[in-house]
Amino acid sequence: MDTYILAIESSCDETSMAIVKNGCIDVATVVFSQMTTHANYGGVVPEIASRMHVESITIVLDELLTKANLKMDDITAIAVTYGPGLIGSLLIGLTAAKTLAYIYNKPLIPVHHIAGHIYANNLTKKMEFPLIALVVSGGHTELIYMKEHYSFEKIGGTLDDAVGEAYDKVARVLNLSYPGGPIIDKLAKQGQDVYNLPIPLNDDSFNFSFSGLKSAVINLKHNEEQRGNKVDTANLACSFQNRVISSLTKKTIKALKTYHVQNLIIAGGVSANIGLREAMDKICRENNINLSYPEFKYCTDNATMIGAASYYAYKLGRRADLDLKAMATCKLN
Ligand code: KG4
Ligand code: ZN
């Protein structure tokens, strides 16, 4: 029998709901992004985000059911992101999920936001194990070893800023708008790697660090301006992005070799980065690694990825009660 899961994601600034069939088919997805509002402030304002979730959540649900041409009777279970994320934002999705589960008497499946990002890959191609997942988003930079479905072993992570966060902060210093990742990616293509920036945490660990690189960009810009020189934004974007990519590719390949793994998936908002995709394509071809990344529309936050992950959690018997709590931080499991 087919499993139709109605999934809800509201951990940051996207109100999203989706219906996913058997963990891999996107029956319908609705994403209401608040990005243009937060762009006015240069980043996500938590209080505004929660208020906007409240305003849009029921509209998103109506739109989803219409789009899917399904009724609540057709739905097997309700899945929801319980963390990590902004508490006020998470609470809106959580309350909607609990209400639907209670009224329609459906099982409630709790999903970790990062599990969702990882399983976005399952919507393109069934994930093959064992695998290494490189999760690169606005809040996370992690290397995760997965022996099988829903088994997550963190083998490395950022010691300070997440990579997407570094992109957004560097973009702000360069007077570019929010979110900075896609803009820097585009500018990097037009520029040249002429600035002398350090490769972050160039050591033998599986950890990352991006705050030093971010500070190096800021210092370089200030120093050049004090000398009366104009910094070339495209060249600086290119130099910054190249250092980020060097760090990500080097550590990821090392992890694949150390764990004797042939399958790599990339996930999270930064997995939309064209420069990163090109570099990973090349290095994976050279090393005989099967590489997969999500479709662009599933890279940034969406409920489809939560629906994909929840199918495997559901099959493992994971259920939540109506007292499920929103968590600002929580371990991936
Ligand atoms: O996964 P996501 O939507 O939210 C979190 O869970 O954090 O990721 C958002 C992040 C932002 O920092 C944004 O700048 C970054 O992903 N991003 C990119 C690109 N597209 C989005 N970073 C680099 N290159 C891109 N093309
Ligand atoms: Zn995310």
Side-chain angles (χ1 to χ4, degrees):
M1 210 175 92
D2 288 327
T3 302
Y4 289 86
I5 298 183
L6 190 159
I8 304 178
E9 154 66 41
S10 70
S11 64
C12 192
D13 60 342
E14 267 89 23
T15 320
S16 179
M17 291 199 195
I19 295 173
V20 177
K21 182 178 163 185
N22 302 334
C24 59
I25 296 164
D26 177 357
V27 176
T29 295
V30 178
V31 182
F32 176 77
S33 176
Q34 309 171 358
M35 204 139 77
T36 48
T37 303
H38 296 291
N40 296 322
Y41 305 94
V44 178
V45 183
E47 176 60 25
I48 294 176
S50 341
R51 264 189 261 158
M52 290 184 79
H53 283 305
V54 173
E55 284 163 11
S56 56
I57 195 111
T58 48
I59 301 168
V60 170
L61 176 63
D62 278 346
E63 219 177 295
L64 176 76
L65 293 172
T66 308
K67 202 170 172 185
N69 199 18
L70 291 173
K71 295 185 292 303
M72 286 307 294
D73 281 349
D74 304 315
I75 303 297
T76 316
I78 310 291
V80 65
T81 307
Y82 66 93
L86 303 171
I87 286 289
S89 292
L90 286 164
L91 274 174
I92 314 303
L94 218 55
T95 307
K98 288 179 189 178
T99 309
L100 290 173
Y102 178 68
I103 295 176
Y104 295 102
N105 197 22
K106 309 280 181 197
L108 180 63
I109 311 165
V111 179
H112 190 287
H113 183 74
I114 296 305
H117 274 303
I118 291 173
Y119 275 87
N121 281 275
N122 209 55
L123 295 159
T124 308
K125 191 168 125 244
K126 286 273 175 83
M127 284 154 58
E128 285 176 41
F129 299 92
L131 64 78
I132 295 281
L134 171 68
V135 180
V136 277
S137 74
H140 295 264
T141 308
E142 283 168 18
L143 276 168
I144 292 153
Y145 171 74
M146 290 180 75
K147 186 171 69 190
E148 58 197 359
H149 271 302
Y150 243 78
S151 139
F152 307 104
E153 185 191 331
K154 182 177 164 182
I155 60 172
T158 182
L159 303 178
D160 40 60
D161 287 1
V163 62
E165 187 184 352
Y167 266 98
D168 295 337
K169 287 178 177 167
V170 164
R172 205 191 294 197
V173 172
L174 299 179
N175 300 319
L176 307 170
S177 62
Y178 172 86
I183 305 169
I184 291 186
D185 190 14
K186 217 163 157 189
L187 273 175
K189 270 256 172 266
Q190 300 157 16
Q192 285 182 331
D193 186 348
V194 295
Y195 289 112
N196 187 17
L197 296 172
I199 295 183
L201 204 68
N202 196 11
D203 65 3
D204 281 338
S205 76
F206 296 127
N207 290 326
F208 302 97
S209 163
F210 295 104
S211 102
L213 176 60
K214 172 196 68 188
S215 302
V217 171
I218 296 171
N219 292 340
L220 190 144
K221 184 164 184 280
H222 286 172
N223 290 341
E224 288 296 315
E225 283 170 355
Q226 275 188 340
R227 287 192 203 111
N229 300 331
K230 208 177 161 314
V231 164
D232 184 300
T233 308
N235 287 349
L236 192 48
C238 177
S239 308
F240 165 75
Q241 171 147 309
N242 278 1
R243 283 331 155 267
V244 169
I245 292 173
S246 295
S247 171
L248 293 175
T249 48
K250 184 181 166 220
K251 303 263 166 143
T252 305
I253 289 296
K254 184 174 153 56
L256 287 156
K257 289 192 172 152
T258 307
Y259 283 78
H260 306 289
V261 170
Q262 294 296 119
N263 301 303
L264 169 65
I265 63 173
I266 311 182
V270 184
S271 67
N273 188 283
I274 303 292
L276 177 64
R277 287 183 177 217
E278 286 173 355
M280 283 291 186
D281 275 336
K282 182 169 179 286
I283 204 159
C284 286
R285 230 178 298 119
E286 287 164 3
N287 287 279
N288 249 333
I289 301 294
N290 304 316
L291 170 64
S292 133
Y293 24 64
E295 275 182 59
F296 285 114
K297 62 180 174 184
Y298 301 132
C299 287
T300 44
D301 291 351
N302 64 86
T304 337
M305 65 186 198
I306 303 301
S310 67
Y311 173 71
Y312 297 94
Y314 177 72
K315 288 214 301 191
L316 285 171
R318 295 213 185 178
R319 305 287 183 269
D321 294 328
L322 294 179
D323 65 357
L324 176 65
K325 303 268 183 302
M327 310 240 240
T329 56
C330 48
K331 191 170 175 276
L332 173 59
N333 69 13

